[in-house]
């Protein structure tokens, strides 16, 4: 008599890091040749639990290094209170629980939420990682998603047509400490949209279709210039995480050598305790050099590998790329090529980062940043401000957007010369940077015009630095005009609306005498004059009011 397992096969699809192009994990997918065992498993928790164990065993036969993703229905976890047989199967396969991510699959309707959360807590205690699958196309309640606090959120590719929703999910995931992946990516346009919306991982036919043998190579479209904008503090280390080659702390040097010689792409091995916390780091070149020396194999092969390792270099999962470089810079030069282990909140290794990936990405971000700098002030242009405005709007954060310029600047150039005008612009730009250092973004958008994006409470130091100061050019006294629009959450939908709200405020500021400041609030009529004398400014030849054009 035939069993349903006789016609069940498994396929593997890589999960790809969009920044590095590396395969970070393999998802194991059940592929029955006849019947619909998946529909049956959806109704039968015991069957679904057995499928998950079979998927683990199938993956273990094909792959020993990459982390694994296994699917399980939400109702199965709630009904069974976890997956006790899976823990035993993982150990029997020579893997560790923290190398396995459970993709919790919809539907969630009618699933007892308390039972589901208790099951997830139990799995986490065992070391498993949790992914919320099918977001955007499934029925997971937002409150339940936050209560699950997954390590990874998988979005359906259909959400890419709604980039604001993806950006909002990225913001939520940053609060939860989760990564964002997009499933079902089929075109380069979808890949570019996923990157632009902030996704770190993706999977789909574009990269590699599900296959009976795990894909050795995947296709990842090259990053377009400016496709990923790094924050000022540097890109997150999460964007560069590669799978770690991990062996137990008790592994022998011979076992490490077998792993390294059989996996030429592995640059090092981490030796971890039973909880997944790295204790020693074995560098490929130094280890193999020791083993290949005279009597090296005879001396070390059967001895513990940790004697040939070093203390691991580690960073937290929330570190930036620049913080990783700080870690690499400490110690001898012979360790600059060592992988850096990335640890979660429990000290467990979630992967490694390579120095080459970081240097390449940081160099690219610096080139892109330099290309957008104004050559006179070395300040970024409007694109930087526009990007930050978009991020604040999608995150539901309030912000104050200010436009500052020099009054009657044409007369400064005509009377004092362009060199004096350039020196004045540089001085104003420097004053703005000093006034808001670490609290705002300053952009020089051309001529004598500057944009400042800040929180409302940062405005007073800005005003004191640029409006209360005395400015001269060629011996002539010069004044500045400042217009500010404060945008509360939901008051504007994009930077175009913010610019439209700012335009009349700038005009009002220019109509005042002396150093002036006008402040308005998006969605509210009128404005407040905080600096400047009453009455129109005296007409001057060559003066014209400029509207925001960014």
């Amino acid at each position: 008599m035939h069993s349903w397992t006789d016609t069940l096969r498994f396929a593997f699809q890589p999960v790809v890091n969009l920044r590095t192009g590396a395969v970070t994990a393999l998802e194991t997918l059940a592929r029955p040749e006849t019947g619909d065992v998946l529909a049956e498993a959806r109704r039968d928790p015991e069957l679904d639990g057995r499928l998950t164990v079979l998927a683990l065993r199938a993956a273990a036969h094909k792959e020993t290094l990459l982390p694994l993703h296994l699917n399980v229905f939400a109702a199965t976890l709630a009904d069974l209170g976890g997956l006790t047989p899976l823990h035993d199967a993982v150990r029997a396969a020579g893997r560790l629980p923290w190398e396995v991510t459970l993709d919790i699959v919809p539907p969630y309707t009618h699933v007892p939420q308390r039972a589901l959360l208790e099951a997830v807590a139990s799995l986490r205690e065992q070391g498993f990682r949790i992914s919320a699958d099918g977001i955007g196309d499934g029925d997971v309640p937002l409150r339940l998603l936050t209560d699950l606090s997954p390590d990874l959120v998988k979005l359906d590719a259909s959400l890419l047509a709604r980039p604001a929703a993806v950006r909002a999910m990225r913001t939520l995931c940053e609060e939860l400490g989760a990564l964002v992946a997009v499933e079902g990516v089929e075109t380069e346009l979808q890949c570019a949209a996923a990157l632009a919306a902030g996704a770190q991982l993706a999977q789909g036919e574009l990269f590699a279709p599900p296959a009976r043998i795990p894909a050795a190579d995947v296709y990842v479209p090259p990053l377009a210039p400016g496709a990923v904008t790094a924050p000022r503090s540097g890109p997150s280390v999460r964007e560069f995480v590669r799978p770690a080659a991990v062996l137990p702390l008790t592994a022998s040097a011979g076992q490490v050598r077998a792993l390294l010689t059989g996996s030429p792409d592995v640059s090092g091995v981490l030796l971890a305790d039973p909880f997944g916390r790295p204790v020693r780091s074995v560098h490929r070149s130094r280890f193999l050099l020791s083993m290949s020396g005279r009597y090296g194999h005879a001396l070390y092969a059967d001895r513990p590998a940790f004697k040939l390792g070093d203390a691991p270099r580690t960073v937290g999962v929330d570190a930036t790329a620049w913080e990783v470089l700080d870690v690499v810079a400490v110690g001898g030069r012979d360790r600059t090529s060592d992988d850096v282990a990335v640890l979660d909140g429990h000290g467990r290794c979630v992967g490694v980062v390579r120095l080459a990936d970081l240097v390449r990405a940081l160099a690219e971000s610096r080139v892109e940043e330099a290309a957008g700098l104004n050559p006179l002030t070395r300040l970024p242009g409007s694109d930087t401000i526009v990007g930050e405005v978009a991020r604040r709007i999608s995150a539901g954060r309030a912000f104050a957007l200010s436009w500052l310029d020099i009054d009657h600047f044409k007369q400064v150039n005509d009377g004092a010369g362009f060199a004096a005008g350039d020196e004045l612009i540089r001085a104003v730009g420097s004053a703005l940077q000093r006034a808001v250092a670490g609290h705002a973004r300053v952009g020089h958008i051309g001529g004598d015009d500057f944009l400042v994006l800040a929180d409302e409470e940062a405005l007073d130091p800005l005003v004191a630095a640029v409006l209360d100061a005395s400015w001269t050019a060629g011996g002539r006294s010069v004044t500045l005009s400042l217009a500010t629009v404060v945008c509360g959450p939901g008051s504007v939908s994009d930077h175009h609306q913010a610019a439209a709200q700012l335009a009349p405020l700038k005009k009002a500021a220019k109509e005042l005498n002396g150093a002036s400041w006008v402040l308005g609030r998006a969605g509210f009529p009128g404005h407040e004059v905080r600096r400047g004398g009453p009455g129109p400014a005296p007409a001057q030849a060559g003066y014209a009011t400029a509207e925001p054009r960014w």
Side-chain angles (χ1 to χ4, degrees):
M1 180 177 177
H2 290 286
S3 167
W4 56 267
T5 58
D6 295 334
T7 59
L8 182 64
R9 301 293 182 267
F10 291 93
F12 308 95
Q13 187 170 43
V15 180
V16 176
N17 184 314
L18 290 174
R19 168 74 82 162
T20 65
V23 177
T24 65
L26 283 180
E27 181 174 356
T28 307
L29 305 166
R31 290 290 187 263
E33 295 181 355
T34 60
D36 193 352
V37 70
L38 296 180
E40 195 175 335
R42 178 175 167 179
R43 297 186 296 268
D44 184 347
E46 294 286 350
L47 174 58
D48 189 36
R50 292 201 298 274
L51 277 177
T52 305
V53 171
L54 288 174
L56 178 280
R57 290 172 178 164
H61 285 304
K62 301 288 186 179
E63 176 59 56
T64 59
L65 294 178
L66 287 173
L68 305 175
H69 283 243
L70 307 176
N71 292 296
V72 60
F73 286 111
T76 297
L77 295 181
D79 188 270
L80 300 182
L83 295 171
T84 303
L86 178 63
H87 187 274
D88 298 335
V90 168
R91 294 289 184 181
R95 304 299 294 259
L96 295 170
W98 49 268
E99 296 179 278
V100 177
T101 298
L102 291 173
D103 291 354
I104 304 179
V105 180
Y108 290 84
T109 303
H110 307 307
V111 173
Q113 294 189 10
R114 181 182 295 276
L116 174 60
L117 293 173
E118 289 176 353
V120 167
S122 174
L123 289 165
R124 276 210 170 94
E125 288 179 2
Q126 297 173 48
F128 292 104
R129 303 187 190 280
I130 302 298
S131 166
D133 203 349
I135 304 301
D137 195 41
D139 60 347
V140 57
L142 189 57
R143 186 175 65 181
L144 176 59
L145 179 62
T146 57
D147 288 343
L148 283 172
S149 190
D151 303 285
L152 175 67
V153 170
K154 288 189 173 183
L155 307 181
D156 187 83
S158 61
L159 272 188
L160 294 175
R162 301 165 179 82
V166 182
R167 288 195 298 270
M169 188 57 65
R170 167 70 188 262
T171 301
L172 173 61
C173 287
E174 287 177 349
E175 293 292 327
L176 297 175
L179 294 176
V180 177
V182 178
E183 295 182 293
V185 175
E186 297 179 350
T187 68
E188 294 193 10
L189 286 177
Q190 286 182 319
C191 181
L195 266 171
Q200 297 107 338
L201 307 174
Q203 57 189 122
E205 295 280 342
L206 175 66
F207 312 106
R212 296 289 175 82
I213 299 177
D217 297 303
V218 295
Y219 170 73
V220 180
L223 287 177
V228 179
T229 303
R232 293 183 75 188
S233 57
S236 169
V237 73
R238 293 168 180 265
E239 299 180 22
F240 305 95
V241 173
R242 292 174 175 265
V246 182
L247 288 176
L249 184 60
T250 55
S252 68
Q255 289 175 297
V256 172
R257 183 177 184 276
L259 190 157
L260 292 174
T261 55
S263 306
D265 292 335
V266 172
S267 54
V269 177
L270 292 174
L271 303 177
D273 67 16
F275 300 100
R277 297 175 298 211
V279 178
R280 303 295 282 177
S281 173
V282 178
H283 184 268
R284 180 187 189 89
S285 298
R286 295 197 298 274
F287 175 83
L288 293 179
L289 185 63
S290 297
M291 290 290 288
S292 62
R294 191 177 186 183
Y295 308 122
H297 189 272
L299 286 172
Y300 298 116
D302 296 325
R303 295 189 177 184
F306 73 82
K307 292 186 176 181
L308 294 174
D310 301 288
R313 290 179 163 178
T314 63
V315 294
V317 73
D318 295 321
T320 67
W322 291 109
E323 290 172 313
V324 178
L325 293 186
D326 290 339
V327 170
V328 172
V330 176
R333 293 184 179 181
D334 61 327
R335 296 200 62 190
T336 55
S337 62
D338 285 19
D339 292 343
V340 177
V342 181
L343 309 184
D344 65 12
H346 301 285
R348 300 174 304 192
C349 179
V350 300
V352 295
V353 290
R354 295 180 180 175
L355 180 62
D357 289 338
L358 299 182
V359 171
R360 186 182 305 112
L362 292 173
E364 289 171 353
S365 69
R366 283 293 179 258
V367 169
E368 292 172 10
E369 181 182 330
L373 296 180
N374 187 289
L376 182 61
T377 59
R378 307 305 296 166
L379 289 172
S382 61
D383 286 349
T384 298
I385 305 298
V386 167
E388 183 62 27
V389 166
R391 282 189 285 274
R392 293 205 179 200
I393 291 173
S394 66
R397 293 177 57 192
F399 60 91
L401 184 63
S402 299
W403 185 298
L404 178 119
D405 73 351
I406 301 168
D407 294 330
H408 316 305
F409 183 70
K410 185 177 186 301
Q411 291 188 3
V412 173
N413 273 344
D414 291 345
F418 71 87
D422 286 352
E423 185 60 34
L424 177 60
I425 289 174
R426 279 194 289 266
V428 171
S430 296
L432 285 172
Q433 281 186 296
R434 291 193 300 272
V436 299
H439 301 285
R441 303 299 301 269
V442 178
H444 183 190
I445 59 176
D448 62 319
D449 293 323
F450 297 87
L451 279 177
V452 182
L453 178 66
D455 295 327
E456 186 175 0
E457 52 268 26
L459 293 175
D460 287 338
L462 168 68
V463 170
V466 295
L467 294 189
D468 294 344
S470 297
W471 299 98
T472 60
R476 298 185 175 193
S477 179
V478 178
T479 58
L480 309 179
S481 294
L482 179 69
T484 300
V485 59
V486 177
C487 301
S491 61
V492 293
S493 61
D494 56 30
H495 74 275
H496 295 290
Q497 288 190 5
Q501 297 272 354
L502 189 57
L505 301 176
K506 183 191 176 187
K507 183 177 180 180
K510 300 298 289 188
E511 291 174 348
L512 298 171
N513 283 324
S516 60
W517 180 24
V518 168
L519 182 142
R521 297 185 183 276
F524 293 89
H527 59 265
E528 177 185 355
V529 176
R530 295 196 170 185
R531 291 282 196 287
Q540 309 231 6
Y543 167 75
T545 299
E547 298 289 336
R549 299 182 301 277
W550 55 286

